[in-house]
Amino acid sequence: MHETEQNDEAAPAQGHEERFAQAVAVGGVFNGHGSEIDADLVREFCVRRAGEVDPRGIRLRGVRIVGQLDLTGVQVPFALRFENCTFDEAPILLGASVRELAFIDCPALPGLIANGITVAGDLELSGSRITGSHRTSASMSRQAAVWLCESSIGGRLLCVDTVIEPQGERAIQADRMRVGSTIRLLNNFHAKGELRLVGLQVGGSLDMGGARVEADGFALDLADANIAGNVFVSPSAARVRPEIRGRINVSSTRIDGRLVIRDATLVRPERDVGRYHSPRFEGKALVGLRLFVGAEFVFAGSTAITGGVDLASAELGRMAIDARVAIDAPGQTALNLTNAEIRSDVSAIGAGLRVRGTILLVGARVRGRLDLDDAVLSDPRGQSLIKADGAAIDGDVQMRRLRATGGQLKFWRTTIGGGFDAAGAVVENPDGGTVRLHNCQVGGSVRLVDGFTSTGCVVLSRTMVGGRLDLDGGTFTCPGPTVHNPESAAIRAVAGDFRGGMDLGWADISPAVNVTDTSTSVLQDDPSRWPEQIYIAGFTYERFDAPRGASARRRIWDWRERLAWLRKQPEYDAGPYEQAARVFRQHGYTQGAEHLLIEQRSDARRAENSRAPVRNLLDWVYGWTVGYGYRPGRVLWLLVALLVLVSASLAIPPVQQTMRASDEGVVFTVDGPLNPAYAADDADPCGGGRVRCFNPVLYAVDTVIPLIALDQRSTWYPDRFVPGGVVIEWYLNIATVAGWLLSSVFLLSFARLARNT
C-alpha cells in the first residue's frame, strides 16, 4: 500500500499541528526533520481525537517530542511508531493499551515507563539509545531505564542495535512480562546495566545474538521465567560476539527448547551488589538452580567462561560442551551439577575442552553417558577435579586422553551402568588420589590402558566391577605415603570385586600395590612385573593367565616365579601362599602347589624369629625330612637307608658275636649253642629249631620298622657282658627309636597329603 509522508517542505505554510493532523488522518508518516511536537498533542490524538487517526496509527519521524508523553491508562486503538525521534522526558504508558509500540533509531530516549502495558503487536526499541533511569512503584530500591513489569506483548519484543545506559541502575526491569512471540536482543544490543526479566513468560524464543550486557551482580536475571522456545546467546549474523559481563541467573527457569551459548564471552561480576546477593553466587558467571531445559543445554564454539556455572538440581534433556570451550574458575567450582538430572548424555564434543576448577556431579542422575574425552582439567577447589559422590550414570564414563593436574577424579558410591574408560589419560596428583572409584558399582569394565599415566594413587576399594579391570599398558607411580595411603600404593583396591577378571599387564608400577581382600575370577599378570611391595592378604582368584599381548605364556604356572611374587609381601601372611597353592592344585599343577606350601612353612619359620632355637631346629628337620608332610617319600628313603645300615652292621662278624638267644637254659650264638656240651646234640646252629635262626636283614626290619613283628628282635639280643655288647645294644635301641619316628612321620604325612588332595 502506498505510504503518505507529510513534511514541512511540502506545505511550508501549514502549522505543525495541522500537518500532524493531516498525516495521522491518512495513516502517513509525519517527518518533522528535527521540528518539535508537543507531547500533549500526541496525547490529544490518542485520547480525545482517536477517531481521527487512521488505523495505521501515529507515525512520527525526525521529531522532537517536547514535554512528557503521558498515556497512563489510555486505551490506544492504533499503533504508535517513533522513528529517529528525540524526547525531552521518558514516555509514560503505565497500564496503557496499544496495538503496536515502536521507538526506532531514537538517538535520545530518556527511558520508557510502561509497567502493565498491553501491546497487541510488537514492542520495538531497535536502534535507539536509551539514557537515564527512573523509579516506579514496582521496586522500592532500584531504578531502571526501561520499565515493563506486568506488561503483555502479543507479538515480539525487538531490541536490535539498541543501547541502554541506565547510569548505574538497571537497564530493563520487566518482572512477569508476557511476550507472545520472541524476544530479540540482537547485533549491537548493548546494555550497561542489569536486564531483570524475573518471571518472564515467552511464547517463542529469546535470542541474544551479538548482545553485550555489563553489570555488577546480575547481568541477565531470568529467574522463574517460562520460555516455550529456545534461548540463544550466540554471534549475530554480522559475527558480532556476544558478551555478558555479570551474572546470568536462570534459576527455576523453564526452557522447553534449547539453551545454546555459542562463541560467547561470559564473565562473572567483579563485585556483587544488591540486597538479593547470596554468598552461594560468588564467583559464578551463570546460576541455574532448578533450571529446566527440555531439549539440550549447549556450550558451543569458542565460548570463554570466567567464573563458575552452577546448575544444581537442574533438569536437562542433554548437556554438551564443545572442544574449544574454556571454563575458568581456578580454586572454585567450575561446573556444578549437584543433584541435577540429565535425561541423555553429558558430553564434551571434540578435543580441547579446558576447565580450571572443580566439576561437581554429587547426587546427579545422568541417563546417558558422561563423556569427557580429551578434556584438560586443572586447579580444583579442594582435592577433586571431578566429584561425583552418589551419582548415578546409566551409560559409560569416558575420559580417554583426558589431562588432569592437581586433583583427583572422585567417584564415591557412584553407580555406573556401563564401563569406565580412561585409556590414554594422564592424571597427576602426587599428594593424593588420581582415579578414585571408591565403593562404586560399575556394570562394565574399568580400563586404565594404552598409555594411561597416574602419578598418585588409583583407588578402587570396595568397588564391584561387573566386567574386567584392564590395566594393560598403564603406568602407575606413587611418589610417597599420605594419610589415606600409608603404604605408598600406586593402586589401592581393598575389598574390591572384579568379576570379569584382572588384566595387570601394566607397563610400569611402583612402589607398591594393595589388593587386600579383593576377589576376581582370573588373574592375568606377570609375577615378575609386580612392584617390590605387594599387599595381597585375602586376595582371591580362580585361575592364572597371561596379560593380554604377553609374549611368553610358559611362566604362568611357574611356581618359582609365583613364590618370588608371594615373598614380596612386607610381612609374612600364609593366606596368599595357600590361595596360590589351591589354584595350582585345582588346575592340575600339584607339584607346584606342594612346593609353594613347603616354602610357605619355611618362610613362616623364618618370619617367627621369637621362637625357641630347639623348636626352630625341629621345624627345620621336619621340613628337611618330609617337606612339612608334603614329601612323605623322603621318609621311605630314610627308612631304607636305616635298614641297609642296620642290616650291614649286623652282618659284620664282631657284631654278630655279641648276639645271644636262649631256650630252656641253653644260650645260643649265631654259630650255635654257647655251651659245648650241647653242641653235639644239635645238628645246626639254631639247635635244631629250638630258636629262630639269626638273619641280619630280617633282624634289621624287625628293629627299624615297629609295625612289623618277625620275632627276630624278640629272639636275639646283644649280650651286655660281651665286649662291645653294650654299644650294640644302644645302637639297636636308637635304630628302633629312629625307625619308629620315621614310620610315624610317614604315616602322618601320608594321611595329611591324602586329606589335602
Side-chain angles (χ1 to χ4, degrees):
M1 181 181 293
H2 176 69
E3 183 180 272
T4 303
E5 182 174 305
Q6 189 75 21
N7 56 56
D8 55 353
E9 292 180 352
Q14 294 178 319
H16 292 320
E17 294 185 10
E18 295 179 359
R19 290 188 291 106
F20 176 77
Q22 293 176 3
V24 300
V26 298
V29 177
F30 180 79
N31 193 338
H33 294 288
S35 60
E36 298 178 354
I37 290 290
D38 196 292
D40 290 338
L41 178 62
V42 178
R43 173 180 169 79
E44 181 179 353
F45 276 89
C46 291
V47 180
R48 292 188 298 273
R49 302 175 61 179
E52 302 178 19
V53 179
D54 186 86
R56 283 180 287 187
I58 297 176
R59 296 187 287 177
L60 305 179
R61 180 182 297 158
V63 175
R64 176 187 174 191
I65 307 299
V66 180
Q68 188 168 51
L69 178 59
D70 188 348
L71 296 175
T72 300
V74 176
Q75 305 294 312
V76 182
F78 44 76
L80 295 177
R81 188 177 183 88
F82 302 91
E83 298 181 22
N84 197 25
C85 296
T86 59
F87 293 79
D88 288 349
E89 299 181 53
I92 301 176
L93 293 94
L94 296 172
S97 176
V98 62
R99 182 175 298 172
E100 182 181 330
L101 180 62
F103 298 89
I104 301 174
D105 296 328
C106 295
L109 181 61
L112 176 63
I113 305 172
N115 292 333
I117 191 173
T118 299
V119 181
D122 296 342
L123 171 58
E124 184 168 5
L125 301 173
S126 298
S128 297
R129 177 177 291 272
I130 305 172
T131 306
S133 60
H134 308 275
R135 188 180 302 277
T136 71
S137 60
S139 175
M140 303 300 293
S141 60
R142 297 295 301 273
Q143 300 182 43
V146 177
W147 287 92
L148 291 168
C149 295
E150 306 289 351
S151 60
S152 177
I153 302 170
R156 300 169 298 172
L157 174 60
L158 302 174
C159 293
V160 181
D161 297 322
T162 303
V163 177
I164 306 176
E165 299 179 6
Q167 300 172 346
E169 296 290 340
R170 289 173 175 152
I172 298 176
Q173 181 155 346
D175 297 353
R176 295 169 298 282
M177 176 174 66
R178 297 177 298 279
V179 179
S181 184
T182 61
I183 298 178
R184 294 182 176 175
L185 313 178
L186 301 177
N187 296 346
N188 291 312
F189 174 86
H190 186 187
K192 298 182 180 180
E194 175 187 350
L195 303 180
R196 180 181 167 93
L197 306 173
V198 174
L200 173 69
Q201 303 288 320
V202 181
S205 297
L206 171 60
D207 192 349
M208 298 184 67
R212 183 180 180 187
V213 183
E214 303 171 68
D216 292 327
F218 290 121
L220 175 62
D221 193 350
L222 283 166
D224 300 310
N226 193 328
I227 300 172
N230 306 310
V231 174
F232 297 106
V233 181
S234 57
S236 65
R239 300 187 180 277
V240 177
R241 183 183 179 91
E243 184 175 339
I244 311 294
R245 294 187 174 272
R247 183 169 299 112
I248 298 175
N249 183 22
V250 286
S251 297
S252 300
T253 296
R254 181 183 180 90
I255 301 171
D256 292 338
R258 305 168 65 207
L259 173 54
V260 179
I261 300 177
R262 182 189 304 277
D263 294 320
T265 298
L266 308 184
V267 181
R268 65 171 182 262
E270 294 296 329
R271 60 189 182 91
D272 286 295
V273 297
R275 62 188 295 186
Y276 300 109
H277 166 65
S278 170
R280 175 170 184 170
F281 295 162
E282 290 182 1
K284 303 296 189 299
L286 187 150
V287 177
L289 310 182
R290 299 175 300 280
L291 168 68
F292 175 89
V293 179
E296 60 180 357
F297 189 146
V298 179
F299 287 116
S302 59
T303 294
I305 304 172
T306 302
V309 176
D310 191 347
L311 300 174
S313 301
E315 184 177 349
L316 313 176
R318 176 175 176 264
M319 185 167 190
I321 307 176
D322 271 2
R324 292 181 294 157
V325 171
I327 304 177
D328 192 8
Q332 302 178 51
T333 300
L335 177 59
N336 186 0
L337 289 168
T338 298
N339 294 325
E341 180 175 354
I342 296 90
R343 294 187 299 277
S344 182
D345 301 336
V346 176
S347 59
I349 302 172
L353 168 66
R354 291 174 290 116
V355 179
R356 296 181 65 197
T358 294
I359 299 176
L360 288 182
L361 289 161
V362 177
R365 178 63 187 269
V366 180
R367 299 189 180 275
R369 297 175 303 156
L370 174 61
D371 185 351
L372 292 175
D373 287 351
D374 301 292
V376 179
L377 311 180
S378 63
D379 302 294
R381 177 183 180 181
Q383 300 178 353
S384 300
L385 288 162
I386 296 177
K387 188 174 182 180
D389 298 353
I393 302 167
D394 292 352
D396 296 331
V397 174
Q398 296 182 179
M399 298 184 177
R400 294 170 295 196
R401 299 173 300 280
L402 175 139
R403 298 292 183 269
T405 306
Q408 63 185 347
L409 312 179
K410 184 184 178 187
F411 296 81
W412 179 69
R413 299 185 67 182
T414 303
T415 301
I416 301 173
F420 185 97
D421 191 353
V426 177
V427 187
E428 298 179 356
N429 188 28
D431 298 328
T434 52
V435 173
R436 190 179 188 90
L437 287 168
H438 189 190
N439 202 11
C440 295
Q441 301 282 330
V442 182
S445 297
V446 175
R447 302 183 69 247
L448 310 178
V449 299
D450 300 338
F452 173 86
T453 301
S454 167
T455 304
C457 179
V458 173
V459 180
L460 303 168
S461 298
R462 295 178 176 82
T463 289
M464 193 285 288
V465 178
R468 181 173 60 176
L469 174 62
D470 193 348
L471 307 180
D472 187 63
T475 300
F476 305 86
T477 305
C478 183
T482 63
V483 174
H484 301 290
N485 183 23
E487 67 272 22
S488 300
I491 297 177
R492 291 191 95 243
V494 177
D497 184 5
F498 303 96
R499 299 183 177 180
M502 299 171 68
D503 186 344
L504 307 184
W506 42 53
D508 187 35
I509 185 168
S510 65
V513 168
N514 190 341
V515 289
T516 303
D517 294 327
T518 290
S519 62
T520 188
S521 55
V522 55
L523 176 60
Q524 297 176 249
D525 73 328
D526 182 344
S528 65
R529 299 297 300 275
W530 285 67
E532 291 304 313
Q533 288 190 348
I534 61 174
Y535 298 82
I536 55 175
F539 181 34
T540 60
Y541 39 86
E542 298 175 6
R543 66 183 177 91
F544 296 114
D545 202 349
R548 179 163 42 93
S551 57
R553 303 178 66 88
R554 61 179 176 80
R555 302 169 64 184
I556 299 172
W557 300 101
D558 187 337
W559 69 267
R560 295 175 183 83
E561 292 272 353
R562 193 56 62 182
L563 176 63
W565 172 68
L566 293 167
R567 286 175 172 170
K568 290 183 177 182
Q569 298 180 86
E571 297 181 0
Y572 168 79
D573 190 313
Y577 288 83
E578 295 175 358
Q579 167 64 28
R582 186 181 304 113
V583 172
F584 267 77
R585 183 178 292 111
Q586 287 175 348
H587 291 272
Y589 297 90
T590 306
Q591 277 197 339
E594 293 175 354
H595 279 296
L596 291 175
L597 292 173
I598 291 170
E599 295 299 329
Q600 173 240 318
R601 292 294 300 273
S602 298
D603 292 347
R605 184 184 71 250
R606 286 189 288 267
E608 295 182 9
N609 294 323
S610 61
R611 296 198 305 180
V614 174
R615 185 178 177 185
N616 280 329
L617 177 61
L618 292 175
D619 193 80
W620 177 82
V621 172
Y622 183 42
W624 182 79
T625 55
V626 290
Y628 300 100
Y630 294 101
R631 289 289 183 266
R634 294 180 183 177
V635 178
L636 291 178
W637 288 110
L638 290 174
L639 282 171
V640 170
L642 185 60
L643 283 170
V644 171
L645 176 63
V646 174
S647 298
S649 62
L650 291 174
I652 299 173
V655 175
Q656 291 184 356
Q657 293 304 316
T658 66
M659 305 301 295
R660 298 289 185 268
S662 61
D663 179 66
E664 297 180 357
V666 180
V667 178
F668 289 85
T669 66
V670 296
D671 296 324
L674 180 64
N675 190 340
Y678 297 100
D681 298 334
D682 299 307
D684 57 59
C686 301
R690 296 178 64 182
V691 295
R692 189 176 297 275
C693 293
F694 180 80
N695 187 305
V697 175
L698 297 180
Y699 193 96
V701 171
D702 208 2
T703 300
V704 172
I705 303 177
L707 302 178
I708 300 176
L710 301 177
D711 294 333
Q712 285 284 317
R713 185 71 186 270
S714 61
T715 302
W716 296 93
Y717 59 92
D719 189 351
R720 296 175 59 86
F721 302 100
V722 175
V726 174
V727 175
I728 298 302
E729 181 183 19
W730 278 102
Y731 168 69
L732 293 176
N733 288 335
I734 291 173
T736 299
V737 172
W740 181 84
L741 288 174
L742 291 174
S743 299
S744 299
V745 169
F746 171 77
L747 292 176
L748 292 174
S749 301
F750 188 81
R752 177 179 178 180
L753 182 63
R755 183 170 60 252
N756 290 339
T757 303

